[in-house]
Amino acid sequence: MSGAREKKRAKKMRNQPASVTLPAEPGPFPGGGSRACAPPGDVRSEQQYQQQKFSNQTSGPSYRKDQYFPKGQNRGERGRGRGGWQGGRQSVSEEMPKYITVSTFAQARAAEINAMLKAVAQKSSNSLVFQTLPRHMRRRAMSHNIKRLPRRLQEIARKEAEKAVHQKKEQSKTKCRKARRRHINLVAEFNRRQKKNIWLETHIWHAKRFHMVKKWGYCLGDSPTEKSYRACYRAMTKHCLLQDLSYYCCLELTGKENELLKQLARICSIDTVSSSLGLTFEEACCLSGKFEGSLNLYRADRYPEDMLGPVTFIWKPRDGSENRQLWIWTHPALKQDMLRELKAVFQCSEPEEIYISEPITTSIQEEKQMDVVLSLGKKRKKEEDKEGEKAVPVKKIIGDGTRDPLQSYSWISQTTGVVISDRTMEILRYRLIGPLSHSVLTETLKAASLQTEMADSETELNNWWVENCKDSEKVSLHQRQSAIFELLEGISSPSEVPPGTILGLTVGDPRVNLPKKKTKAMPDFEKYQDNDKVRQLYLEGVPVDCAHSFIWDQDICKNVTENKISEQDLNHMRAQLLVPGSHLDLGPRESKIPILLVQQPGKMAGEDRPGWGSGWDLYLPKGWGMAFWIPFIYRGVRVGGLQEASKHSEYQRTPHTPNDFPDCQAGMQFAKELETSLLEKFKRRPPAKRANYVKLGTLSPFVCPWGQLTKNWEGRVKASGEFVHPSSPHSEHCATEGHSFCDPKAEVVKEASPETDEVEETMEITSSEGVLKTGTQDFGERDETMATSDFIVLRSEKLLMQLSAWCYPTAGKDRRVRLISRLGQKEMTEDIFLPILMSYPRALVWVNLSLLRKGNPELHAMICIPTEDDLLHLSKDKLFCGPREPKHRDIFKHKVQKLKEEKKKKKKNDNMKALESDSPSVPDKETTEEHEDLILGLWSDALPDVTSHCSRTLLGYVTRGDFSLAAGCGEALGFVSLTGLLYMLHNQPADKKGLVLLRTPASLQYRFARLNIEV
């Protein structure tokens, strides 16, 4: 009997008593009838029958003729005619038992009767009683009227109805769509959906037009649903691109200036503190509040290790008080580490009094509103919510970031008196990128008009503005700020303004100035063509006093948010205009909003495209997000998401947070998540459609092993004792004085392919002992090794400028105008670079690469050192694209095949064991865990020396690469080993300085590229 039939029979016998026996196969038994009872002699048990059945299977095939028919009778003699049935009856009568054991026989029949009654009484499906009737007997009223059923089924239906009443769920109070779409219920539903991921105020606008992703505790727009890749680049280059950066975190520090600067110096770079290079919190132009600064922060007294991440900061201008306010803006992935370190530095352990941003709801109507929120949460989700999900308080404005009143957002130091406040989502932040971003600002925003009387004594609308307008000094300051803001219309690009310029301003409600249809904001150069004030703005920037803004005052921001005129009231006022579509003048009822404008300088490093990507950052109080967003859209801006922000930094050749910060915790976490997603994507492909990275010589296609790279380069230098020529597949290029710099060696082996009988060049990696060193390190252990490595990223501007000068060719046709002598740097000698090498043995350097010919660099592409033969070939043939990597031998292929065969054998053995015993077999955990990380096409053991695994010495990896619309060629950004870079530059000829090779993970082709370091 086949295995499938055995399983089928075992399933039938699962609920049967032991005394009941069924035929193993359909068909006649000896005597021509079915096996209804035991053969003569005795009533056999089921175990005896099973033993005989298996002995018959082993003795011969089941289709033998003598198995079913007695001797002298064949299939032809047993027909379906009358004689055949007669013969069957005669044989049954002949083989009937002479006697039976009554007790055993009665027990067997009783068990059969009980099993039959149980099967009849037990419901085998989830259908109701009336659904079991034939279709011609069913009636529509049976579902609710039991009396329409047949009498024999009415009692069962009555029991089902009673059971259904107890299990019936509560009907929701708002079940129709019209009720669900009411504003109060709609806002409550939106708040319920923000339990885990906070929405920005522009979330609903983005959700209709963008691909949304959940990152860092927010729901953010990733990229537009329409085709707009080139359109967004044109907007950044020629007009304006708008981005919502309200998810960035703002940490406010309040205290005495000396105490703040003393402790903040501990988390800054020592190089910037001790020298004049680079900005610090103590920089004079930033300390006055006139400019915005940017820094890289580290753990206290741990520079250059344990980096926290990049931040931008703004000081509030001095107002005569001894206390100063400081805003530190950071990425949400870095917020927790940054906040933890600041609290440790300032010894802020006790929370200050909790600041509740929304007024406490005391009215009966608001209590009912809270009940609606909780009921809606029960309606859509299970009663048992997941851990961490709690009912959020009611938000009057969608996505305004109302905070949990039970959580502290402010901490005070008892020793220094410094207060740290978390103002995330309390201040909104928009970024306008492009040469006409200032034109969009000047057309959308208008300076607020002066007001000396209250519009309504019952409300607090604009009461703060009325009080400030009574002060002549503040009125004069507002007029000067308005005049400078109007001057922005006369400049051609924001990059002409000094970098980081800050301008404070108070503007009116931008919804009042909405145009009738979409327009494109354009500058008016003739208006300010010969204006001396514009030239003064270029040279000196904005005066210090004009950087003041009321947005620093939390009470004013709270007043502005709570007294905002709703869209409904504004539309009602528009409907009452005598001339439809005319300008709506609100007069004293118009809201006054304090804002802050911060200039973004764009591309500052390098020689090409200076000022590209410059623009303005707009800070405004919460609750006014959509009121400013829609007017910007009506001025012809294009909106970008996270992908456009990444491209913006890529074209500026600056590191993107947190992708390009491998030495901070957020960067390591990003690398792990990226590796997991790429590995899952790789496994989803069929094995025949996957790239075999082992044959391609790619050790780590999904993650960059920075720790392994720096460690291997340090080992190479220690083993050799001096710098030597680049590694080559030939042994003569690797020989040094008494040392072999290229161990483990890479030898080219020619072998015939078993399929095509063609000779292929393959790379065979051997260690100094002649045997490949392997281990059992899986992907998780490899991640832990990378996370615990002690490599750093070199960020000293002085050293980077020196390295940048050494990367330029100093001879030949490719010689740059910017020579080392003009830079004021020293020539590359051993006395100069050896101290650098000793100080930073395991350091990475941020570089950018431009391909010389065709090619498109990809993520995790390998940056390699060209050999002397490669450079010689390039000098002879300018169209030479690059060498090719010989195909490697897959040393894991036989292991994978062996594992596959073992799995087949194990599965077959499990099936045989399942036939003998009904209990399912338990898989061997040790065997599965041992080969869990063995995947065809991936290097499954511990990584060998990554620098010498291929025919070209590995220098670094690419973190971002693509065809650049700005440069018109393939460009890549990544990190290289400082030791490897110095080694390459020391050995390269003067006219080939900075030339490297790029190879994508899924290709064997190398491409020539130019390496630059922009500072």
Side-chain angles (χ1 to χ4, degrees), residues 402-578:
T402 300
R403 298 171 170 188
D404 186 359
L406 303 177
Q407 187 174 355
S408 59
Y409 291 91
S410 187
W411 302 266
I412 188 171
S413 173
Q414 299 295 336
T415 57
T416 60
V418 174
V419 179
I420 301 176
S421 303
D422 182 9
R423 298 198 65 185
T424 304
M425 292 294 291
E426 295 293 301
I427 304 296
L428 305 184
R429 182 176 177 181
Y430 292 162
R431 175 164 291 178
L432 292 90
I433 304 169
L436 299 184
S437 54
H438 57 280
S439 301
V440 174
L441 286 172
T442 53
E443 284 195 20
T444 306
L445 308 178
K446 302 297 179 185
S449 58
L450 299 177
Q451 182 180 349
T452 56
E453 295 181 359
M454 294 288 295
D456 189 358
S457 59
E458 296 180 359
T459 63
E460 296 181 356
L461 177 66
N462 297 335
N463 60 347
W464 64 274
W465 182 244
V466 173
E467 293 177 2
N468 285 295
C469 287
K470 294 178 181 178
D471 190 347
S472 59
E473 293 184 0
K474 294 182 178 179
V475 170
S476 175
L477 177 62
H478 175 68
Q479 291 175 349
R480 278 181 284 151
Q481 290 175 336
S482 304
I484 294 175
F485 180 69
E486 292 178 359
L487 288 177
L488 295 180
E489 192 177 355
I491 63 177
S492 58
S493 174
S495 60
E496 297 178 356
V497 182
T501 298
I502 298 176
L503 174 62
L505 191 63
T506 303
V507 298
D509 195 334
R511 296 173 292 178
V512 178
N513 303 322
L514 269 181
K516 296 180 181 179
K517 61 180 181 179
K518 275 189 178 182
T519 58
K520 197 168 185 178
M522 299 299 292
D524 187 4
F525 297 112
E526 297 180 356
K527 187 175 181 181
Y528 300 97
Q529 190 171 6
D530 297 328
N531 198 331
D532 295 335
K533 294 182 179 179
V534 176
R535 299 192 190 95
Q536 187 178 1
L537 182 64
Y538 290 161
L539 300 175
E540 301 177 2
V542 178
V544 177
D545 54 349
C546 292
H548 177 270
S549 175
F550 293 105
I551 199 173
W552 290 94
D553 194 333
Q554 295 189 27
D555 295 332
I556 293 178
C557 291
K558 181 180 177 182
N559 184 303
V560 171
T561 300
E562 292 177 354
N563 295 290
K564 174 191 172 187
I565 301 176
S566 64
E567 291 285 343
Q568 184 180 6
D569 296 340
L570 205 61
N571 292 333
H572 183 66
M573 296 177 189
R574 287 196 183 105
Q576 293 179 349
L577 290 174
L578 295 178

Side-chain angles (χ1 to χ4, degrees), residues 170-206:
E170 296 181 2
Q171 290 187 354
S172 59
K173 298 179 182 179
T174 58
K175 56 183 177 180
C176 65
R177 186 179 186 278
K178 183 178 180 181
R180 291 198 310 268
R181 298 297 295 179
R182 291 196 186 108
H183 182 70
I184 182 174
N185 297 335
L186 198 62
V187 173
E189 175 67 10
F190 290 160
N191 292 332
R192 184 194 65 80
R193 289 161 60 184
Q194 297 182 59
K195 289 180 181 179
K196 280 191 173 182
N197 298 283
I198 301 174
W199 290 1
L200 306 183
E201 292 190 14
T202 58
H203 171 82
I204 295 177
W205 189 95
H206 277 92

Side-chain angles (χ1 to χ4, degrees), residues 101 128 142 166 206 224 379 561 613 786 819 859 863 930 937:
T101 305
L128 299 175
M142 288 180 179
H166 295 297
H206 277 92
K379 182 186 82 171
T561 300
M786 181 190 69
L819 298 176
L859 180 67
I863 308 171
E930 183 180 355

Side-chain angles (χ1 to χ4, degrees), residues 682-731:
F682 179 80
K683 289 180 179 179
R684 285 197 299 267
R685 286 180 172 269
K689 303 299 180 184
R690 300 175 186 170
N692 193 325
Y693 291 109
V694 179
K695 286 188 176 182
L696 294 170
T698 306
L699 291 174
S700 181
F702 306 136
V703 68
C704 300
W706 302 118
Q708 181 87 355
L709 176 70
T710 55
K711 182 180 179 181
N712 292 151
W713 270 109
E714 184 184 23
R716 290 167 68 98
V717 172
K718 288 182 179 179
S720 64
E722 59 180 352
F723 285 93
V724 295
H725 295 287
S727 63
S728 171
H730 308 289
S731 59

Side-chain angles (χ1 to χ4, degrees), residues 148-166:
R148 297 301 301 270
L149 283 164
R151 290 183 179 178
R152 61 184 176 85
L153 300 176
Q154 287 183 8
E155 187 65 26
I156 302 174
R158 193 173 289 108
K159 291 180 180 179
E160 285 184 350
E162 292 176 358
K163 186 178 179 182
V165 168
H166 295 297

Side-chain angles (χ1 to χ4, degrees), residues 615-639:
W616 293 88
D617 277 8
L618 174 66
Y619 299 84
L620 57 142
K622 72 170 185 178
W624 285 87
M626 289 304 296
F628 280 75
W629 188 267
I630 297 300
F632 285 144
I633 301 298
Y634 268 77
R635 264 66 183 195
V637 301
R638 184 168 285 274
V639 181

